[in-house]
Amino acid sequence: MPRYTVHVRGEWLAVPCRDAQLSVGWLGREAVRRYMKNKPDNGGFASVDDVHFLVRRCKGLGLLDSEDPLEVALEDNEFVEVVIEGDIMSPNFIPSQPEGVYLYSKYREPEEYIALDGDSLTTEDLVNLGKGRYKIKLTPTAEKKVQKSREVIDSIVKEKTVVYGITTGFGKFARTIIPINKLQELQVNLVRSHSSGVGKPLNPERCRMLLALRINVLAKGYSGISLETLKQVIEVFNASCLPYVPEKGTVGASGDLAPLSHLALGLIGEGKMWSPKSGWADAKYVLEAHGLKPIVLKPKEGLALINGTQMITSLGCEAVERASAIARQADIVAALTLEVLKGTTKAFDSDIHAVRPHQGQIEVSFRFRSLLDSDHHPSEIAESHRFCDHVQDAYTLRCCPQVHGVVNDTIAFVKNIITVELNSATDNPMVFASRGETISGGNFHGEYPAKALDYLAIGVHELAAISERRIERLCNPSLSKLPAFLVAEGGLNSGFMIAHCTAAALVSENKALCHPSSVDSLSTSAATEDHVSMGGWAARKALKVIEHVEQVLAIELLAACQGIEFLRPLRTTTPLEKVYDLVRSVVRPWIKDRFMAPDIEAAHRLLVEQKVWEVASPYIEKYRMEHIPESRPVSPTAFSLEFLHKNSTRIPESEDL
């Protein structure tokens, strides 16, 4: 007999159907009837006939025709939502889908696997796991380590040894001995009580990263989880069943207890869970719809699932990868601005940077030369002012290698810390199978990623700070020699006037967000956990800072391309013309005032998707091969070559240049 799971006003109802010829409208009425039956006041309705509603799929939110038979419109055990007329405007309305669901409605189950061993996960790997590009499996070595670790726990339970978190309570209750027959209940109680986070849930991409990273840590074999349970967790990940994890509530020691507890809560079939098939529903229904069973926790397994820095670190991975992408592209945007403002390239001479050999500075100056070298890429704009008496530019142009360079070095430093953290055991107690014992320690403390991500926010912010000043130079006619605010008929049109204000507002917000969260600590758990990292907030605000940086640079990119319009028919260098063409493929020139926000968002998407880098990087790497001797090592902060190799971007033939 078919059965459907129906969402009505924040509640989920299982509705069986004896006759598949019944209609979608019948399903909606039956769900409303069952909803009213469970409410003392009938949910505020006199009868089912008084309720006007629409029925839609949870997956993709497609509306269903009320007259269609169920056997045609829906699959067995499909998730649907009844939207009652008037509810959509109510502050109490709970949608079945997370924000940005349009990104996930096209989800396709991946066919490729990535093998986790707890030792070799990269930031790129984790971001790709978050995007749903891979399923997970364990290496044979990891399976053996997990089994050996579990044998130690089974021995402790069998011998009734007193060990923290296995046969005792937690935190302040560490000296409370728990009876053997209560050890499983202890683990379930731990997960339930610690699921106390607040705020919006992590979006599916970030929740997938969190779950994948926890699996990687468990695969190291120091947590004491059973191989059976770990494989169940992997099955949940591979089915893209993602628990409801509020973004707030962790102090970053003892690990990210609240968010990881919410993660574990869904795995045991409690709380809410999301999948592309179901949308948000009770976890037990989502697991059942995918042929999965809730995990039954064994001794120590609740603690194994929730103790660690994976919330901080998984968000930190996204932050590092996005920071790397925007830092590369900031050089390209700034180079385009310099061309529009008819700046000089003398400040990027390699001899200048060789005598102050910071690796990031050297790499950024090289990128500027590769984009602006008129001998290599003839520029009619540069040629038009070759013999002017201009000696040097403002710092926002001249000092890009020094300012952008330290951002690159900051990202490299932070990426190293985050990569180590990705592959670190962060449990307590730690299970050492080779010694046959457990040891209590403090690897769960999030100070390393917290400090690193505070540093990342401070470093990357400077890309926006200097970009906003360049936008000012583009918009100010006394500095640019271009029409005020980059628009014809100024006065009638305002052009980029308020776009610059938006950039200034974002930079100002970043100044507050860059205050380090890790300088704070509040004692918790009755002074047992008397120093904490506040790393969860460090990670979340680092991501917000990076988003603002992307948006400011999107505005500069639009402004620089608009400036090009006033220099036509002169053309810039070939790589920068390619960037201009890319922008013009999504945003047309600014002839007169129009709704600007969609243009900014379109340019923002180009940067987030690294399209600007994709069109310019082949020219940068071609230049590199022609101008750097093979014996000279390339800076490790030159992420460009690594990205180019991984994405198999075609390097243009010489005639393309």
Side-chain angles (χ1 to χ4, degrees), residues 85-112:
E85 185 177 309
D87 277 1
I88 200 72
M89 300 304 294
S90 167
N92 298 320
F93 178 69
I94 303 174
S96 68
Q97 300 283 354
E99 292 182 18
V101 69
Y102 64 92
L103 296 175
Y104 307 97
S105 60
K106 298 180 180 179
Y107 173 81
R108 295 291 181 271
E109 185 174 327
E111 296 180 358
E112 293 186 55

Side-chain angles (χ1 to χ4, degrees), residues 275-290:
S275 81
K277 176 179 179 180
S278 67
W280 288 114
D282 290 345
K284 60 183 178 182
Y285 292 140
V286 177
L287 292 172
E288 183 180 332
H290 291 82

